[in-house]
Amino acid sequence: IWDPLTQRFHRVIALDFLGFGFSDKPRPHRYSIFEQASIVEALVAHLGLSHQRLNLISHDYGDTVALELLYRSDQNRTGHLIFNSLCLSNGGIFPETHHPRLLQTLLKDSSILATVLTRLTNFMIFQKGIGEVFGPYTQPTDAEFWDMWTSLRYNDGNLVLDSILQYINQRFQHRDRWVGVLTSTHAPLHMIYGPLDPVNPHPQFIRLYLHLVKRSTITILDDHISHYPQLEDPTGFLKAYFNFIHSF
């Protein structure tokens, strides 16, 4: 979705969070949603955009970072972002409808087993796990799987997976804060959702979202689109997003 976004907007910014992609992957380190939100605020300040109204698009882990940023904005905290809008996509924003994969569940408990698993996980295990959260007709190519795996392994990123996955526990601990701001904010909100997602399954997830987040608009993509709508259906994702942006 990058090129169409850069054609539509004056400036588009994306970052690898700490522990992800080509960013540093310190260990031992207590990774937290709060720290990631502070990193985003620092980046925005560094780029001289602290007083600009920003449109945020988020996905999965990024949904929760975005909600922490939204909370700080609504509370008028020092250094906060100024939201023009927020578009969420498939992510476990409600702990009660979130179903982590087995490997994620084992890793997030930070036991001795997690330490062993981070070292044993190989490309074949990774490919199988990622493939299960894509739709049957939208599977990544072998080259794309290898790109994902390479990015994960960069700077021994596989060895910090158990620490990063603590965000699942943080979602439980701070549910009232993050779900609360989602239900109370006056910022324009939209959800783009792939309904085949086994991590945030249909219809439980979307029913709860509709029930709690009254002011948000929603786009549900085709039945075969799963957890990564921006990769599986970029055309549908962009159409939904631009319709949202043009609506306010």
Side-chain angles (χ1 to χ4, degrees):
I1 64 173
W2 184 261
D3 287 343
L5 290 177
T6 59
Q7 292 165 21
R8 169 61 177 78
F9 294 100
H10 173 66
R11 192 171 190 181
V12 184
I13 299 157
L15 74 154
D16 284 331
F17 289 123
L18 192 70
F20 289 77
F22 296 106
S23 287
D24 289 347
K25 298 172 178 177
R27 58 184 173 92
H29 184 76
R30 294 187 66 177
Y31 291 86
S32 80
I33 295 297
F34 298 101
E35 180 183 38
Q36 304 286 23
S38 295
I39 289 171
V40 175
E41 289 176 336
L43 175 63
V44 167
H46 174 72
L47 296 174
L49 300 174
S50 296
H51 303 291
Q52 299 290 320
R53 298 182 66 84
L54 306 176
N55 297 298
L56 265 69
I57 303 178
S58 63
H59 174 72
D60 198 326
Y61 183 93
D63 284 354
T64 307
V65 178
L67 293 180
E68 173 57 21
L69 290 165
L70 186 62
Y71 178 86
R72 297 179 187 188
S73 177
D74 281 15
Q75 295 292 315
N76 204 28
R77 300 289 179 88
T78 302
H80 70 83
L81 273 61
I82 302 173
F83 275 77
N84 193 51
S85 69
L86 172 59
C87 180
L88 305 159
S89 59
N90 294 58
I93 54 179
F94 306 120
E96 56 269 45
T97 60
H98 183 236
H99 298 272
R101 310 307 287 167
L102 176 61
L103 186 58
Q104 288 180 311
T105 301
L106 294 172
L107 288 174
K108 76 180 178 65
D109 292 335
S110 285
S111 61
I112 294 173
L113 177 60
T115 304
V116 173
L117 287 172
T118 57
R119 286 163 171 78
L120 290 180
T121 299
N122 58 25
F123 174 74
M124 297 301 292
I125 295 171
F126 171 81
Q127 183 181 36
K128 183 177 185 299
I130 292 292
E132 288 173 352
V133 292
F134 277 80
Y137 312 119
T138 53
Q139 289 286 306
T141 64
D142 288 345
E144 288 167 338
F145 274 124
W146 274 109
D147 282 346
M148 295 177 198
W149 176 244
T150 302
S151 140
L152 172 66
R153 289 299 304 266
Y154 184 81
N155 279 344
D156 291 328
N158 56 305
L159 301 183
V160 302
L161 280 175
D162 53 334
S163 301
I164 287 174
L165 285 167
Q166 292 309 303
Y167 80 90
I168 296 173
N169 298 326
Q170 291 165 25
R171 280 173 171 166
F172 277 98
Q173 295 163 8
H174 304 287
R175 182 194 185 280
D176 290 348
R177 178 185 181 102
W178 293 329
V179 175
V181 71
L182 188 59
T183 61
S184 65
T185 188
H186 290 284
L189 293 173
H190 191 69
M191 166 64 71
I192 302 176
Y193 177 65
L196 198 61
D197 186 356
V199 184
N200 307 283
H202 188 272
Q204 300 96 309
F205 171 82
I206 213 67
R207 282 178 181 168
L208 186 58
Y209 189 89
L210 285 165
H211 176 68
L212 293 178
V213 194
K214 305 293 188 184
R215 296 187 64 257
S216 177
T217 51
I218 297 173
T219 300
I220 300 177
L221 298 175
D222 291 345
D223 290 349
H224 67 275
I225 303 302
S226 186
H227 182 71
Y228 289 97
Q230 73 277 32
L231 297 175
E232 299 180 61
D233 185 11
T235 302
F237 190 101
L238 287 163
K239 180 181 178 182
Y241 184 64
F242 290 145
N243 285 342
F244 165 56
I245 287 295
H246 295 149
S247 70
F248 60 89

